[in-house]
């Protein structure tokens, strides 16, 4: 855990540089991280244009942050904890999601990505990850790719997941696809129920 934190803190300058580049290309960005120190450092760098939701933020402040990001043109950066801000909110003002860190659980990562990929989104959503070769980053990325492959096959989704050696130590764009429901002698309600169960199981995974 300590090494993971040290790596995350070491990535802060790289993350800030990439965010600055993204702000030159697009109006609004959603940024996710795991450690509060990372989110606080990014917030300190962009105090006038950012809002943040992480652990410990009050409900009223959560609502205010979301509303400001969604409606205020001057609020260009949303900073969120993967768990604290990765579910239950809508951030369709942006179509760019940038992960400074990752979580072991594919379901949590997908949920975080989907904050921008919701009803009202008019653009394709681009998700990017900041990965460092030869570190914990690469291990997590490979594990996520493997888990996602298993889950998507179980959900009958036709996708091609890169082999571990194909994952590059750079920011990577991810293309999303719609899930296709196909039955194997089952009724459609049964297939949907099975898929929902698999999604719940993936969200409970502890990274083992």
């Amino acid at each position: 855990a300590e090494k993971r934190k040290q790596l995350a803190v070491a990535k802060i300058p790289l993350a800030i540089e990439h965010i600055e580049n993204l702000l030159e290309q697009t109006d609004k960005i959603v940024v996710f991280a795991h450690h509060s120190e990372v989110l606080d450092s990014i917030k300190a760098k962009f105090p006038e244009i950012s809002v943040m939701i992480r652990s410990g933020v009050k409900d009223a402040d959560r609502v205010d942050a979301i509303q400001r990001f969604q409606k205020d043109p001057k609020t260009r950066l949303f900073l969120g904890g993967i768990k604290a801000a990765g579910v239950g909110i809508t951030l369709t003002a942006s179509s760019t999601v940038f992960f400074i860190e990752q979580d072991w659980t594919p379901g949590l990562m997908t949920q975080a990505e989907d904050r921008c990929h919701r009803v009202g989104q008019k653009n394709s959503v681009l998700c990017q990850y900041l990965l460092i070769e030869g570190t914990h980053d690469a291990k997590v990325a490979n594990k996520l790719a493997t888990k996602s492959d298993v889950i998507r096959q179980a959900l009958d989704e036709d996708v091609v997941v890169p082999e571990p050696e194909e994952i590059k130590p750079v920011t990577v764009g991810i293309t999303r696809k719609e899930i296709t429901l196909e039955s194997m002698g089952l009724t459609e309600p049964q297939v949907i129920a099975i898929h929902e169960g698999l999604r719940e199981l993936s969200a409970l995974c502890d990274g083992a």
Side-chain angles (χ1 to χ4, degrees):
E2 185 60 31
K3 289 183 177 180
R4 182 184 180 189
K5 181 178 178 180
Q6 291 175 356
L7 173 60
V9 172
K11 288 165 66 175
I12 291 174
L14 295 174
I16 289 174
E17 180 180 357
H18 188 64
I19 290 170
E20 290 174 336
N21 291 335
L22 287 174
L23 288 171
E24 294 178 359
Q25 303 169 27
T26 188
D27 291 334
K28 297 196 178 216
I29 309 163
V30 174
V31 177
F32 282 107
H34 174 72
H35 290 92
S36 296
E37 290 86 345
V38 175
L39 294 169
D40 290 341
S41 295
I42 304 299
K43 185 73 172 68
K45 178 64 177 180
F46 304 96
E48 302 298 325
I49 64 170
S50 65
V51 291
M52 180 169 63
I53 294 179
R54 61 173 178 82
S55 59
V57 173
K58 298 179 180 179
D59 289 344
D61 293 332
R62 286 174 60 93
V63 173
D64 179 66
I66 295 166
Q67 291 298 315
R68 285 178 57 191
F69 184 73
Q70 287 287 89
K71 298 181 179 181
D72 181 8
K74 295 180 180 179
T75 303
R76 303 182 60 198
L77 194 59
F78 179 92
L79 307 173
I82 294 174
K83 294 182 179 179
V87 296
I89 64 176
T90 297
L91 302 172
T92 50
S94 172
S95 58
T96 301
V97 187
F98 176 44
F99 287 87
I100 300 174
E101 301 179 80
Q102 304 171 92
D103 190 274
W104 282 103
T105 308
L108 290 177
M109 298 299 292
T110 300
Q111 286 283 353
E113 291 177 3
D114 285 348
R115 295 315 91 209
C116 294
H117 197 268
R118 294 172 68 82
V119 175
Q121 179 58 258
K122 299 178 180 179
N123 303 310
S124 298
V125 177
L126 175 66
C127 299
Q128 299 181 323
Y129 298 80
L130 185 60
L131 307 178
I132 306 295
E133 184 178 16
T135 66
H136 176 79
D137 275 352
K139 182 178 179 180
V140 175
N142 290 336
K143 182 66 70 173
L144 282 171
T146 301
K147 289 180 180 179
S148 297
D149 190 19
V150 172
I151 292 169
R152 287 166 178 171
Q153 287 184 40
L155 293 175
D156 304 324
E157 185 177 3
D158 184 18
V159 297
V160 177
V161 178
E163 295 296 327
E165 61 268 18
E166 294 179 7
I167 297 177
K168 305 300 182 181
V170 294
T171 302
V172 181
I174 305 296
T175 300
R176 301 295 307 284
K177 290 188 177 182
E178 296 296 327
I179 294 175
T180 301
L181 300 178
E182 295 179 355
S183 63
M184 295 291 292
L186 300 173
T187 65
E188 184 172 347
Q190 288 174 323
V191 174
I192 293 174
I194 292 171
H195 287 185
E196 288 300 323
L198 287 169
R199 291 190 184 93
E200 291 180 10
L201 286 174
S202 69
L204 292 173
C205 177
D206 63 0

